[in-house]
Amino acid sequence: MRNRFVATAAGLVAAFLGFSGTAHAGKDLDAVKSRGTLNCGVGIGTAGFMLADSQGKWKGLSVDVCRAVSAAIFGDSEKVRYVPLTSQQRFTAVQSSEVDIVMGNATYTLTRDTALGLDFTGVYYYDGQGFLVPKKLGVKNAKELNGATVCVAPGTTTELNLADYFRANKMTFKPVVIEKVDEIRSAFFSGRCDVYTTDASSLAATRAANVPPPQTFDDYMILPEIISKEPLGPVVRHGDNQFADIVRWALYAMLEAEEYGITSKNVDEMLKSDNPAIKRILGVTPGMGKALGVDEKWVYNIVKQVGNYGESFDRNVGMGSPLKIPRGQNALWTQGGLQYAPPIR
C-alpha cells in the first residue's frame, strides 16, 4: 500500500510539474530551426581554436563545438554561420541575438554567468593566463617583469588578472590596450611592448602561427607562470533552457564518446555494441534524443561528422597539430585530467 501511495504521489507531482520526458522548444531554438543555420560567434582568429583557412572554411576546437551543436539540431555539422567578434563585441552580440552562441574563448566567471543575462553551458578547454616574451628580453619568469610594457586586450579577464598579479607582487607595468587580436600581435612583434599576455593556449597559437619572418618560433618563449584560472566555455542567452541543454550536451556527447572509445572511424561498428551505455549514447536504445528534443541519432551525427573530444583536440591543438599542446588538464578524468561528462542516461 505504501509503495502504491508513493508511486501515485510521484505521478501527481510529475503531472503538476508538466513533466512528460520530452523537451519543449524555446524562442532561441525556434529561431535557429526556422533560419536553418546556427549563428556562431567566434574570435577574430586564433590558430587551433577558430581560424578561417585560405578557402574561408573555419576550423578549430571552438569551431568544432559549434559544429557539434549544429549536428545535434540539424543532423548536419555544416549548417553554421561564423561571425568574427572582438572581445568587446562578443557578449553584446549574443545578448542582442546577433549570434546564438559565442565560442570566442570566453572565460566562465560568476558575473558573466549572472549579471550579463548569459549562460555558460560547460567548459571545453581549461586554460590559464600566461606571458609571451622575446628571448632577447632576458627574463626567465614573470617576477622579473617589473616596469615592463604589456600588450593586452580590453574588456577581458586578462586585463583584470594582469593588474591583480602586478599589484599582488608589488610590481608596476605599462599597459598597451588594443582591441583587435591581429593588431595586438603586430604591436608585440614590432617591439611596441615587451610582453604579450592572454590565455596560454592563445599564446601557444600565436608563437606557432603568427611570428613574422625573419623572426622565428624559437625567438620567443612562454614564461612558466600561469597566473589565473581560465575555464573557456560556450555562451548562450538566458531564457531558452532547451537550447542551452542542447549546447551543453553536444559538448558532453563529445566527451562521453571519447570515454567509451567511440570515434568518427568506428562509430558505425559501435552501433552493434552490446554495451547498454553505448546503445543509449548512439540512440540504438531510444529515449535520449526525445528527452533533449532532437533526433535519436544526435550523438552518432556529432561523432561521425565532428569526432569525439579527443579527436578534435588532437587535430586542432594537440600532437596532431602545429601547436602540440599536451592534454594536461584537458585530459579525461580517467586519465588524470578535468574533463568529465555527466552520463547520458
Side-chain angles (χ1 to χ4, degrees):
M1 177 65 75
R2 181 179 181 277
N3 288 342
R4 186 183 304 165
F5 172 78
V6 170
T8 302
L12 289 170
V13 170
F16 178 75
L17 295 176
F19 176 75
S20 66
T22 304
H24 297 282
K27 59 181 177 59
D28 293 330
L29 182 58
D30 284 342
V32 171
K33 287 181 173 179
S34 66
R35 188 192 309 128
T37 56
L38 176 73
N39 290 337
C40 176
V42 291
I44 299 299
T46 301
F49 288 87
M50 51 208 144
L51 191 66
D53 64 17
S54 56
Q55 280 76 47
K57 183 178 177 62
W58 284 85
K59 295 181 178 179
L61 181 63
S62 308
V63 168
D64 279 353
V65 178
C66 279
R67 294 178 61 223
V69 175
S70 177
I73 295 172
F74 299 113
D76 184 346
S77 67
E78 299 306 312
K79 290 192 174 183
V80 185
R81 182 175 75 92
Y82 298 98
V83 182
L85 301 166
T86 68
S87 57
Q88 289 194 309
Q89 294 170 334
R90 56 190 174 177
F91 297 133
T92 302
V94 74
Q95 287 165 338
S96 66
S97 301
E98 179 185 350
V99 297
D100 306 306
I101 177 175
V102 164
M103 289 297 302
N105 283 15
T107 300
Y108 190 164
T109 70
L110 184 149
T111 51
R112 288 176 172 179
D113 196 44
T114 55
L116 297 183
L118 305 174
D119 282 323
F120 281 78
T121 61
V123 177
Y124 64 88
Y125 191 91
Y126 288 94
D127 211 342
Q129 184 173 335
F131 299 98
L132 179 66
V133 299
K135 289 181 179 178
K136 66 182 180 182
L137 192 64
V139 300
K140 300 299 182 185
N141 62 70
K143 298 288 179 64
E144 299 176 39
L145 294 177
N146 189 30
T149 302
V150 184
C151 278
V152 63
T156 60
T157 55
T158 308
E159 188 179 21
L160 303 176
N161 295 334
L162 176 65
D164 285 349
Y165 181 79
F166 273 77
R167 188 181 304 114
N169 287 284
K170 297 180 171 57
M171 300 191 300
T172 62
F173 71 99
K174 180 182 177 182
V176 177
V177 181
I178 303 172
E179 183 174 358
K180 294 184 177 178
V181 67
D182 53 344
E183 293 178 6
I184 295 178
R185 291 170 182 154
S186 294
F188 172 65
F189 288 125
S190 69
R192 186 175 163 193
C193 38
D194 305 311
V195 186
Y196 175 28
T197 186
T198 188
D199 296 345
S201 62
S202 293
L203 296 179
T206 296
R207 184 171 177 243
N210 301 111
V211 178
Q215 301 178 81
T216 69
F217 173 95
D218 289 324
D219 291 327
Y220 294 87
M221 64 182 289
I222 298 172
L223 298 180
E225 289 85 358
I226 297 296
I227 68 167
S228 69
K229 294 184 294 185
E230 305 293 330
L232 309 180
V235 185
V236 299
R237 283 178 294 282
H238 272 319
D240 187 336
N241 291 341
Q242 192 198 355
F243 181 65
D245 284 345
I246 292 171
V247 175
R248 179 179 298 112
W249 284 96
L251 173 59
Y252 287 157
M254 295 175 72
L255 290 165
E256 278 280 85
E258 181 183 7
E259 184 172 339
Y260 281 94
I262 308 168
T263 71
S264 58
K265 295 180 177 62
N266 72 12
V267 65
D268 289 303
E269 189 65 26
M270 284 290 194
L271 290 171
K272 304 170 190 173
S273 173
D274 292 327
N275 186 319
I278 292 175
K279 293 175 79 168
R280 278 194 305 273
I281 291 167
L282 294 180
V284 176
T285 301
M288 300 302 98
K290 180 181 179 182
L292 198 55
V294 294
D295 191 275
E296 294 293 351
K297 293 180 66 177
W298 65 285
V299 180
Y300 172 89
N301 290 330
I302 290 172
V303 177
K304 183 72 173 178
Q305 298 176 37
V306 182
N308 68 32
Y309 181 84
E311 289 179 284
S312 178
F313 189 102
D314 184 67
R315 71 170 173 261
N316 288 304
V317 300
M319 295 305 151
S321 77
L323 275 64
K324 302 199 180 306
I325 297 174
R327 282 291 290 266
Q329 295 172 315
N330 292 291
L332 293 179
W333 66 288
T334 53
Q335 304 296 321
L338 298 177
Q339 290 292 2
Y340 183 113
I344 296 176
R345 67 173 307 143

